[in-house]
Amino acid sequence: MVSQFTGFLLLFIFISSVDSGVEEEFFKSGHTNNWAVLVCTSRYWFNYRHVANTLSIYRSVKRLGIPDSQIILMLADDMPCNARNPRPATVFNNANQHINVYGDDVEVDYRGYEVTVENFIRVLTGRLPASTPRSKRLLTDDRSNVLVYMTGHGGDGFLKFQDAEEISSIELADAFEQMWQKRRYHELLYIIDTCQAVSMLNHFYSPNLLGVGSSQVGEDSLSHHVDPAIGVYVIDRYTYYALEFLERVTPTSSKTIGDFFKVCPQHQCRSTPGFRTDLFRRDYRKVLVTDFFGSVRNVEISSNKMQLTNATSDERQDDLGQQYGTKKTKRKEDGTKLSYAIQFPGDKEIGKATQPTVKFSNFFILGSSAFLGLAAIACFTRTFS
């Protein structure tokens, strides 16, 4: 009995001894939520691999914790229901058909002819009609880390949508800038798997943005292998090796974006992947893969209060100051008072600062010590009685 009390006491002491700076450690990445926009722009059966590419990334981000409610999935063709599919309601990304990336719980938000350049830009910028349901909206804010993945057929400075229209690298860069100006992301990772993919990164100019392309200008992005049972290529090389890397990542993994950039070197991809890191504020070699492919789970019960600064707003002021040659100035207090409901001991009245109180963990220690002492006396008395 005494040993149990001792164990509880040690647990309370451990809780109370946790460093008060743990909150800063939790929020060192600066984001509080994760979103993903995954787009396949190709139609027709022979582009089966592009649908498999997109669903492979979709499977990975869901496995790592991003829920369907925070994933926008756009598929220009419905391969699972295609009449040529020998196994209806399935999409495989390997010749052995071990993994059905379509699965049983896929939620496609934009399907078929809904996958257009206009809808894609509207999703990114939030300029959607009022009648658009929440499931089709990218409801991000300035604390959101966003992953944007695109695959299809492209060329120097453009990506085709369903062989009917194109999005240019300039239009894409401007869409990301609108997102930044409207505070729709904190950090953004853009990945594109197509021919001459790096050309889509050349015009980016928005802060906190990382870009990855599967091939250089003048290079083709090649497919990986054929499935004889299906009769077409089932996945592209870059996405195949990216998926192989992501399959080894767990929600608590220490793998970084620097490690992710090393997947599919030229001897494997037969093309040369390229990157844009100059716009990113942090050292990408220290950024966790799960900062984009996973979902934050920063949960800690603490008696300490922490003030979260709006880092994105400060960065935006710096950008505007550099752009227009003005000095950064602090916003003046307008006298507006914020109020909150009384929740903790010591809050004397609404809107007032919390008065100094004894830490909650100290009560545990004192109470446990007293209880343990009484238990020890009781056991001692019982032994010699």
Side-chain angles (χ1 to χ4, degrees):
M1 182 176 178
V2 175
S3 61
Q4 292 179 348
F5 291 133
T6 305
F8 283 123
L9 177 60
L10 292 174
L11 176 61
F12 291 136
I13 293 174
F14 172 77
I15 294 173
S16 64
S17 63
V18 174
D19 183 14
S20 61
V22 71
E23 297 92 343
E24 287 79 3
E25 191 67 20
F26 275 140
F27 291 98
K28 63 184 179 181
S29 65
H31 77 289
T32 58
N33 55 93
N34 289 83
W35 290 74
V37 181
L38 313 177
V39 186
C40 170
T41 65
S42 295
R43 291 188 67 82
Y44 311 119
W45 177 250
F46 58 84
N47 290 320
Y48 180 103
R49 68 188 185 278
H50 293 151
V51 175
N53 289 346
T54 309
L55 290 175
S56 296
I57 301 298
Y58 173 78
R59 177 179 179 274
S60 293
V61 297
K62 282 191 67 176
R63 182 180 63 83
L64 292 172
I66 302 181
D68 268 315
S69 59
Q70 292 173 212
I71 301 174
I72 303 296
L73 180 60
M74 308 177 79
L75 300 181
D77 204 350
D78 195 356
M79 295 302 174
C81 297
N82 193 296
R84 295 187 182 184
N85 193 341
R87 297 187 59 180
T90 62
V91 174
F92 296 97
N93 63 0
N94 58 80
N96 298 319
Q97 299 186 4
H98 285 269
I99 302 175
N100 174 20
V101 291
Y102 194 73
D104 299 325
D105 57 349
V106 173
E107 295 185 13
V108 182
D109 301 295
Y110 291 82
R111 190 189 303 271
Y113 290 108
E114 288 183 321
V115 183
T116 63
V117 173
E118 178 182 351
N119 282 343
F120 172 65
I121 293 179
R122 284 185 178 277
V123 166
L124 293 182
T125 59
R127 300 177 184 275
L128 291 164
S131 59
T132 305
R134 288 177 62 89
S135 61
K136 290 190 173 187
R137 294 177 180 270
L138 186 67
L139 302 174
T140 55
D141 54 36
D142 60 358
R143 290 288 180 181
S144 304
N145 273 15
V146 183
L147 167 68
V148 180
Y149 173 88
M150 302 183 75
T151 184
H153 290 290
D156 189 356
F158 69 90
L159 177 67
K160 291 196 296 184
F161 272 64
Q162 305 198 45
D163 287 343
E165 56 181 346
E166 303 167 350
I167 183 172
S168 70
S169 57
I170 296 176
E171 290 173 321
L172 183 64
D174 288 343
F176 288 153
E177 177 62 16
Q178 285 189 54
M179 292 181 69
W180 175 255
Q181 294 292 341
K182 296 174 71 174
R183 302 185 181 183
R184 289 180 60 79
Y185 76 86
H186 174 70
E187 293 173 340
L188 189 147
L189 173 61
Y190 177 74
I191 304 173
I192 180 168
D193 190 354
T194 185
C195 298
Q196 308 189 62
V198 172
S199 65
M200 294 296 291
L201 316 178
N202 290 339
H203 292 92
F204 290 169
Y205 58 98
S206 304
N208 282 7
L209 193 152
L210 285 169
V212 185
S214 61
S215 55
Q216 297 289 335
V217 176
E219 293 182 343
D220 293 331
S221 185
L222 303 177
S223 53
H224 191 266
H225 63 270
V226 173
D227 184 343
I230 298 176
V232 291
Y233 287 95
V234 292
I235 194 168
D236 282 327
R237 283 182 173 271
Y238 181 81
T239 301
Y240 177 85
Y241 289 106
L243 180 63
E244 187 178 64
F245 172 85
L246 292 173
E247 285 295 303
R248 298 192 298 268
V249 175
T250 63
T252 58
S253 174
S254 60
K255 297 286 186 181
T256 67
I257 294 295
D259 298 324
F260 179 73
F261 282 1
K262 296 176 184 178
V263 304
C264 202
Q266 203 276 337
H267 70 274
Q268 287 182 327
C269 268
R270 310 288 175 84
S271 61
T272 310
F275 317 99
R276 281 290 301 274
T277 61
D278 54 297
L279 299 170
F280 202 66
R281 298 290 177 83
R282 292 195 287 159
D283 184 355
Y284 71 92
R285 291 163 295 189
K286 298 180 181 179
V287 177
L288 295 178
V289 169
T290 51
D291 278 3
F292 292 100
F293 288 90
S295 181
V296 290
R297 291 186 176 90
N298 299 332
V299 178
E300 173 72 9
I301 300 175
S302 174
S303 60
N304 299 323
K305 292 187 176 181
M306 178 183 178
Q307 181 65 36
L308 288 177
T309 59
N310 194 339
T312 307
S313 178
D314 294 339
E315 291 166 359
R316 186 173 284 103
Q317 278 193 333
D318 290 338
D319 295 333
L320 294 175
Q322 294 174 3
Q323 182 177 357
Y324 298 105
T326 59
K327 294 183 178 179
K328 176 182 173 183
T329 58
K330 293 184 178 180
R331 186 176 298 177
K332 295 182 178 179
E333 296 292 335
D334 57 1
T336 302
K337 294 183 178 180
L338 300 177
S339 62
Y340 58 90
I342 298 176
Q343 300 181 42
F344 302 105
D347 288 349
K348 298 302 182 183
E349 59 179 294
I350 295 178
K352 297 296 184 180
T354 303
Q355 299 298 323
T357 59
V358 180
K359 289 187 177 180
F360 190 56
S361 57
N362 292 341
F363 286 114
F364 278 117
I365 296 174
L366 294 174
S368 300
S369 300
F371 191 65
L372 180 58
L374 292 174
I377 294 172
C379 291
F380 181 80
T381 304
R382 186 172 183 180
T383 301
F384 292 98
S385 62

